Amino acid sequence: MPPQGIAQVLRHLPKVDDPNLLVGTETHDDAGVYRLTDDLAIVQTIDFFPPVVDDPFIYGQIAAANALSDVYAMGGAPRTALNLVGYPDDKESLDWLGEILRGGAERCQAAGAVVVGGHTVRDAEIKFGLAVTGIVHPQKIITNATARPGDKLVLTKALGTGFITTAHRNGACPEDVFQAACASMIQLNDIGRDAMLHAGAHAATDITGFGLAGHALEMAEGSKASLVINLSALPLLPGAQPLARRPFFTRASATNASYVADNLRIEGKPDSNRIEFFYDPQTSGGLLISVSADKADGLVAEAKDRGGSAACIVGEVIERDGPALILKA
């Protein structure tokens, strides 16, 4: 569903009046957080989608990494997961389904989480994902609504998975480019979480279906600040730029652009190819982290040391200056 549609749906939900609900739906954050004790809160999230790659094991890995990412974005640690599966039952063999589940289990094990069960339904299209429960200290939650003017913005993964996976489905993506994208999507965002917690980051969100544009807007709106993004600083997956063209735009690219249009000011004349990465929907993308300017370089260095080779500073947070988003060419 486009982000505008989700916002309309959420408006109709009854207001929750529970002092233990620490993070709900108000700021469109990555996961819900509920306090159990003074020292323990649970982080809950759910995510699933159709295959973005043909290999069932890799698809399972990507879907699991994507779902686990929401817990990492809140500063939490995943603990349990439930498989969510939609599958067509008109196949002679379901071995491929076992490979999907095996891929998901591998990523959960790497994350230190335990798969405790799940649910399957018949569906015309394959779908897979996880419902994940994590833990976090109630005083150490990272949300998308607490970015501070003066902060720098760090992005921990390169952009372009939407273009690459679409081109691959159309038989037009070089194999090395596709493999680089798969490696990025499989990579867990514990790399960014650990680096941001060590740096004392103020806010974070993970970049997924709404693209950098949509998730940055939600951070800006929640924080009542403006986010300035430097287009030339955005890290791109190797080989992705030639694929940022028709027919490899997804429908979500257009809806993401429409979602932010009324809250976006573009300064300068942006490269028409490169700006598409601002809107490109990501699968299992990186974390966008708001951190004190004097801690940003250290955060980037630590993320790179942990394996996040694309981590870099992509912008800054300023006092609200007209639009919520400012894109500098």
Side-chain angles (χ1 to χ4, degrees):
M1 182 183 292
Q4 300 97 319
I6 293 174
Q8 291 173 359
V9 170
L10 292 177
R11 282 208 313 268
H12 298 292
L13 291 177
K15 184 174 177 58
V16 178
D17 185 18
D18 186 330
N20 290 311
L21 180 63
L22 304 181
V23 180
T25 61
E26 291 80 7
T27 56
H28 308 288
D29 223 312
D30 296 293
V33 183
Y34 191 86
R35 179 172 51 206
L36 298 179
T37 70
D38 290 343
D39 300 318
L40 180 66
I42 55 172
V43 185
Q44 292 187 291
T45 186
I46 185 171
D47 210 323
F48 59 98
F49 48 76
V52 293
V53 298
D54 293 332
D55 186 295
F57 180 77
I58 295 175
Y59 164 48
Q61 288 182 302
I62 293 170
N66 185 78
L68 292 161
S69 182
D70 288 339
V71 175
Y72 292 133
M74 309 299 294
R79 285 293 178 260
T80 64
L82 293 165
N83 289 318
L84 297 166
V85 182
Y87 71 102
D89 61 354
D90 57 351
K91 309 296 183 184
E92 290 185 6
S93 170
L94 291 180
D95 290 346
W96 53 269
L97 179 54
E99 283 297 287
I100 292 172
L101 295 175
R102 191 170 71 86
E106 187 278 331
R107 287 290 80 188
C108 286
Q109 184 176 28
V114 178
V115 178
V116 296
H119 185 66
T120 61
V121 295
R122 293 186 181 90
D123 199 332
E125 184 179 37
I126 300 167
K127 296 181 181 70
F128 175 67
L130 301 174
V132 183
T133 298
I135 58 172
V136 68
H137 192 287
Q139 302 301 318
K140 297 180 180 180
I141 302 165
I142 306 291
T143 81
N144 70 353
T146 46
R148 301 178 186 177
D151 283 357
K152 294 293 186 183
L153 295 169
V154 172
L155 185 62
T156 63
K157 285 188 184 183
L159 303 169
T161 61
F163 300 128
I164 291 173
T165 54
T166 302
H168 184 261
R169 284 196 296 271
N170 284 271
C173 181
E175 185 62 21
D176 61 331
V177 174
F178 177 65
Q179 291 301 326
C182 287
S184 178
M185 291 186 285
I186 289 167
Q187 186 179 68
L188 296 177
N189 272 327
D190 57 349
I191 290 171
R193 178 208 56 191
D194 292 347
M196 76 177 182
L197 291 179
H198 189 257
H202 297 143
T205 188
D206 69 330
I207 308 304
T208 52
F210 297 160
L212 177 59
H215 292 288
L217 175 61
E218 291 176 342
M219 180 181 284
E221 295 284 39
S223 303
K224 297 179 173 57
S226 291
L227 268 58
V228 181
I229 305 292
N230 297 316
L231 187 62
S232 61
L234 298 184
L236 310 182
L237 284 162
Q241 274 199 275
L243 303 176
R245 58 179 174 83
R246 298 186 186 282
F248 308 134
F249 295 159
T250 66
R251 186 176 66 174
S253 288
T255 57
N256 291 343
S258 175
Y259 178 48
V260 305
D262 292 340
N263 295 287
L264 172 66
R265 182 171 77 228
I266 299 177
E267 297 182 352
K269 188 176 181 181
D271 180 278
S272 59
N273 172 274
R274 194 173 183 87
I275 196 173
E276 295 299 337
F277 288 88
F278 186 53
Y279 304 119
D280 185 41
Q282 302 302 287
T283 299
S284 191
L287 300 185
L288 179 66
I289 302 167
S290 180
V291 63
S292 295
D294 61 343
K295 300 288 185 64
D297 287 334
L299 192 159
V300 168
E302 182 170 349
K304 287 185 173 180
D305 286 344
R306 293 178 181 273
S309 59
C312 62
I313 297 171
V314 298
E316 62 183 336
V317 183
I318 63 173
E319 297 282 353
R320 177 59 66 89
D321 178 23
L325 289 180
I326 300 170
L327 184 64
K328 290 190 173 183

